[in-house]
């Protein structure tokens, strides 16, 4: 997973085709030693692919709108207006700071 993250960081940084040296440089900057076998396997799997463009196209199909409330959505779909919710004013009582028998700083 670290190798994949380093590859994606390099790709997001503008390097269209990160190589083994790029991945190792990123990982070594945070004190992680890259496994050469895993790096080579990842590079062979992603050779010739634009992972950023592929990811963006997949994200375009993800719905990003909010969910419609069942009662409001049904009323609006039926042509009626959803009833306005009354704002109830609640009194917020301030709780006194109780010691509870111990202190964090004792």
């Amino acid at each position: 997973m670290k190798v994949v993250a380093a590859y994606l960081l390099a790709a997001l940084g503008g390097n269209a085709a990160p190589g083994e040296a790029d991945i190792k440089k990123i990982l070594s900057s945070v004190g992680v030693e890259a496994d050469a076998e895993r790096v080579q396997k990842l590079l062979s799997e992603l050779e010739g692919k634009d992972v950023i463009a592929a990811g963006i196209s997949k994200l375009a199909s993800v719905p990003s709108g909010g969910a419609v409330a069942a009662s409001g959505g049904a009323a609006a779909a039926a042509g009626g207006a959803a009833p306005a919710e009354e704002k109830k004013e609640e009194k917020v009582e301030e709780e006194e700071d109780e010691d509870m028998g111990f202190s964090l700083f004792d």
Side-chain angles (χ1 to χ4, degrees):
M1 195 66 166
K2 296 173 192 171
V3 175
V4 173
Y7 181 90
L8 291 173
L9 282 173
L12 285 172
N15 188 349
E20 184 175 358
D22 300 318
I23 294 172
K24 286 184 177 184
K25 182 178 179 183
I26 291 171
L27 290 176
S28 67
S29 72
V30 292
V32 176
E33 189 174 327
D35 181 17
E37 183 180 323
R38 288 184 181 197
V39 172
Q40 287 301 321
K41 177 150 175 63
L42 176 72
L43 291 176
S44 67
E45 293 287 328
L46 297 177
E47 187 176 348
K49 295 180 183 177
D50 187 4
V51 293
I52 302 301
I56 290 173
S57 68
K58 287 183 181 186
L59 282 176
S61 66
V62 175
S64 60
V68 176
S71 63
E85 294 183 25
E86 295 179 19
K87 292 185 178 180
K88 296 181 181 180
E89 201 170 303
E90 297 181 19
K91 287 187 177 182
V92 178
E93 295 182 24
E94 294 182 21
E95 296 181 19
E96 292 183 23
D97 189 24
E98 296 181 15
D99 188 22
M100 297 178 66
F102 66 91
S103 175
L104 293 174
F105 303 105
D106 284 341

